[in-house]
Amino acid sequence: MNKILIVLCTMMISFVSKAQIIREQTTPQTIGSQIPGYSQVSSINTITVSYTPPTPLSQPTPIDGDTTTEGNGVYDFGSVIPVSFTLSNGNFTTTSVGKVWTLRISIPNALSIGLTFNQFNLSPSAEMFVYNDAQTVLNKGIKKEHFVNSDTVSISSINGNAIVVYIIEQNNFGNFQSSISVNQLVGGYQEISDVGEAGGSSSSLQQLRATINCIPHIQCYSWRMMSARAVARIEIPRGNNRVGLCTGTLINNEQNNGRAYLLTAFHCIDANDNNVLDANEIQALRQSRFQFQFWRTQCNGSTNNTGVQFNGAVLRSQNRGSDMVLLELINQPGIGDGVNYAGWSRQTGTSSNSQSFIIHHPRGEDMRYTQTRFVSNYLFNSNYWQAGYLTGVVDRGSSGSAIFNENSQIIGQLKGGWSSCNYTDFSDRYGKFNRSWNDGNLGPWLSPNQDLQSTEMLNLTDIPINGPNTIACTTPTQFSTLPNLLDVTYEWSVSTGLQIISGQGTSTVTISGFPNNNIGAGFLTLTLRSPTKGRVRIYTTSKQIFLSNGSVLGYYNSPTNSSEPLAPFSRFNQATNNTCISVATNMVIPAGSTVTWSGPANTSEIIWGQSGNNANIYFTGLNQTIILSLSVTNSCGTTTLNYRFTCTSTNSCGIAPLRVALSPNPSSSKMQVALTEKLNTNFKRDILEIRIIDKSGNLKFKSSYGGGQKNIRLNILMLPPDVYTILVFDGRTWTTEKFIKY
């Protein structure tokens, strides 16, 4: 017979990401395994481009609050270099896996190189790879079908003064079928960060690295990472043949459908600073690049994470008065790309001084975090908030980044100001989202039907399956997920013992069990696919479902069923003259079920009997133990569990009362766990198993400790900030305590 597990919801999540361009770290030793045919290409043509780096634009000396000394905020780092390269400039190699075309582009005076294709006709079998001379950065597996707009395809700048473009047509050993042309390069004249090793040896970069001291890594604030998944580093052509970096944030809409709207600053697009977005500036948006998930791999680490890039945008809304533009990405992120969409608020009052925050890319660096000291109305212009900082500041390249309120909702975007790593006590201006809404006509894009005052984040990295954890085994029960996701197919499946009644292919499904299957529990699995222009992105999540043919919810000590994290003690009836346990079953019992307790015959020392669904147990002395079996039978089958009850305390019957000692509590990363007797706090019990569950009953952590330990150093860094319950088992009973992860 099967044994019932405690009612938990276990979520299992997986991603298959095929983002438009995936950039990752590589090495000379590993790149050959990442690019088909690489080792068989012995000769690569080189084109050298002459380039005289311009002088970086000077910034005024700031006077806090004085708009005449307010910096532009865009981090201009590169120059647009017109070129004209085609297949004729490279060379062809026939390898054992197919025909390869290669071209090396060298700009001796450049710190980084980006490129734009004005023709991008890769054959169906072709893949493109772009990497730097040092073989530390690789853009991999790029295909034509990855781009909605293939007339203009741009690759964001790669650190180094030479890059290689590598195209392979696998299984083609004849004439090359693809055709491409490059009409623009970007030559970098100021340092920017890239994936892999974060930095170099130049004096300017060492100065750039110093920004870590005044603008900490986002990875050091793990509870903000869900918001960080909405933030992008934007690379965009600007006036005078310059290329600049800003920050933007994906923003949710009333339908929660993942339409790729992105909020940033008007002045990031207004290249000539004439307060008008002209045709050339709007057209340049189609060559802009949006890089997400560009952060360090760990707090204060030295390595940048793999990023994902999307190419091109169109203008949807603008308002110079609040320095706002709303863009829509042409090539949109898919369901498996690991991005989220930030919520927003049209609030008119100021936010909590110490709980508002900014996530941004200062000076082209990896993603950083800034927490406010105050947020107030800007005295001289009601279109803006003014914010000063408690932790970190902002800098050039941070322009357009969202300021979030204490509820992680966007309330504005960075206009500019006076703070930097040299002026950490200064403040900055942020265009108010409410003014952008009213004056920039955001409503038709973000809430055309409901005219909402606010929205919450659209979390696409932890998509829920909504529904009960336990169902009556033959009763049809409905489960649902996010209903309106764009360009997404819904596929449901169930494990053995469950069946889908209706709803396949939709966001809502109805399932049930089978009579007499005795499975106890099974899994409902949701697979989401986002097939945009051949980029099939996949997201899979599962929910464990328990069939209630008598599901025990607690108040038992059951060492014979150690997979069940039961409540820490049995119920006691102190009103009787005898030492007594009155066991309440607390069961979800379907109609037609029978409940039966069984055990040894009564003796002069221990007397027990069944009363309804309960069992009453009478002990005449200490250190007495009885094992009883509980069976539940209905149309779903029969479930049996064995429970041990022991009288060991002079104060009450049952296991001596225990407590879980946690230090520190609250905690952000690690805490010490010990199990002590309440009557003698100096006496510590052995710990055999620890489990952690969240507020919804989901099992988040489980670990056994052979031989038992008195103290456990527990790492909780992987838990999102919230309130949790820890369950500790000493071999006889489970003891619980609440703790806060922040």
Side-chain angles (χ1 to χ4, degrees), residues 306-318:
T306 295
V308 295
Q309 177 193 316
F310 299 91
N311 189 279
V314 293
L315 179 67
R316 293 304 185 202
S317 178
Q318 60 176 293

Side-chain angles (χ1 to χ4, degrees), residues 580-657:
C580 171
I581 298 177
S582 178
V583 181
T585 59
N586 275 341
M587 297 172 65
V588 179
I589 304 175
S593 298
T594 59
V595 177
T596 304
W597 289 89
S598 60
N602 290 330
T603 66
S604 59
E605 293 181 338
I606 303 175
I607 302 171
W608 75 274
Q610 181 170 346
S611 176
N613 292 331
N614 299 333
N616 293 323
I617 308 169
Y618 297 87
F619 296 98
T620 59
L622 300 178
N623 301 315
Q624 296 174 345
T625 298
I626 187 171
I627 296 177
L628 300 180
S629 295
L630 171 65
S631 295
V632 178
T633 302
N634 53 41
S635 62
C636 298
T638 299
T639 298
T640 299
L641 288 173
N642 297 318
Y643 296 103
R644 182 176 69 181
F645 302 96
T646 303
C647 182
T648 61
S649 171
T650 56
N651 294 328
S652 63
C653 185
I655 302 299

Side-chain angles (χ1 to χ4, degrees), residues 284-299:
L285 288 170
R286 304 183 75 84
Q287 300 174 35
S288 54
R289 279 82 76 182
F290 302 86
Q291 188 175 10
F292 294 87
Q293 298 159 41
F294 181 53
W295 48 56
R296 295 290 171 97
T297 55
Q298 59 186 3
C299 174

Side-chain angles (χ1 to χ4, degrees), residues 135-426:
Q135 298 175 351
T136 58
V137 179
L138 173 65
N139 294 291
K140 58 183 287 188
I142 304 168
K143 298 183 177 182
K144 178 181 179 180
E145 62 191 20
H146 293 176
F147 300 88
V148 174
N149 172 31
S150 59
D151 293 333
T152 302
V153 171
S154 296
I155 307 296
S156 58
S157 296
I158 302 173
N159 274 347
N161 60 11
I163 61 172
V164 175
V165 181
Y166 183 109
I167 301 174
I168 180 168
E169 296 182 346
Q170 296 198 52
N171 299 316
N172 174 27
F173 303 97
N175 293 327
F176 206 67
Q177 302 298 310
S178 304
S179 62
I180 57 99
S181 63
V182 178
N183 69 330
Q184 283 185 1
L185 299 177
V186 175
Y189 60 86
Q190 292 203 87
E191 300 276 6
I192 58 173
S193 288
D194 212 329
V195 303
E197 176 64 25
S201 59
S202 71
S203 60
S204 61
L205 185 55
Q206 294 302 318
Q207 183 179 4
L208 184 62
R209 278 180 164 177
T211 64
I212 298 169
N213 298 326
C214 71
I215 316 177
H217 302 303
I218 183 62
Q219 286 285 43
C220 300
Y221 301 84
S222 56
W223 60 94
R224 300 298 191 197
M225 293 305 295
M226 300 306 289
S227 296
R229 288 188 174 275
V231 176
R233 183 172 76 168
I234 307 173
E235 183 177 327
I236 185 169
R238 292 177 51 77
N240 299 319
N241 289 326
R242 294 181 185 255
V243 179
L245 293 174
C246 281
T247 302
T249 309
L250 286 172
I251 186 168
N252 195 14
N253 64 77
E254 68 178 11
Q255 292 187 312
N256 295 295
N257 60 6
R259 188 168 176 179
Y261 296 123
L262 184 136
L263 186 76
T264 189
F266 181 98
H267 74 266
C268 290
I269 317 301
D270 184 19
N272 57 12
D273 296 322
N274 67 348
N275 297 325
V276 175
L277 298 186
D278 57 40
N280 290 335
E281 292 164 341
I282 294 173
Q283 180 64 27
L285 288 170
R286 304 183 75 84
Q287 300 174 35
S288 54
R289 279 82 76 182
F290 302 86
Q291 188 175 10
F292 294 87
Q293 298 159 41
F294 181 53
W295 48 56
R296 295 290 171 97
T297 55
Q298 59 186 3
C299 174
N300 294 326
S302 60
T303 304
N304 283 327
N305 183 59
T306 295
V308 295
Q309 177 193 316
F310 299 91
N311 189 279
V314 293
L315 179 67
R316 293 304 185 202
S317 178
Q318 60 176 293
N319 181 46
R320 185 181 64 82
S322 60
D323 199 32
M324 177 278 301
V325 292
L326 183 72
L327 309 178
E328 183 172 3
L329 305 192
I330 295 172
N331 298 281
Q332 305 208 354
I335 196 68
D337 287 325
V339 301
N340 291 333
Y341 292 76
W344 44 264
S345 172
R346 295 160 58 184
Q347 67 186 60
T348 56
T350 58
S351 291
S352 171
N353 286 340
S354 61
Q355 295 299 319
S356 299
F357 60 95
I358 303 96
I359 302 174
H360 54 110
H361 288 281
R363 299 194 190 183
E365 283 272 19
D366 55 277
M367 197 178 295
R368 303 302 178 89
Y369 177 78
T370 299
Q371 184 174 314
T372 62
R373 175 169 48 90
F374 69 86
V375 179
S376 61
N377 291 301
Y378 182 55
L379 181 62
F380 303 105
N381 190 329
S382 61
N383 288 334
Y384 295 97
W385 306 111
Q386 185 169 1
Y389 308 118
L390 181 66
T391 300
V393 292
V394 298
D395 210 321
R396 285 177 294 154
S398 305
S399 276
S401 55
I403 182 170
F404 295 85
N405 66 11
E406 62 272 26
N407 300 314
S408 299
Q409 297 168 310
I410 294 174
I411 60 170
Q413 69 288 326
L414 178 59
K415 157 68 173 175
W418 311 273
S419 73
S420 69
C421 287
N422 296 322
Y423 300 94
T424 56
D425 292 332
F426 285 10

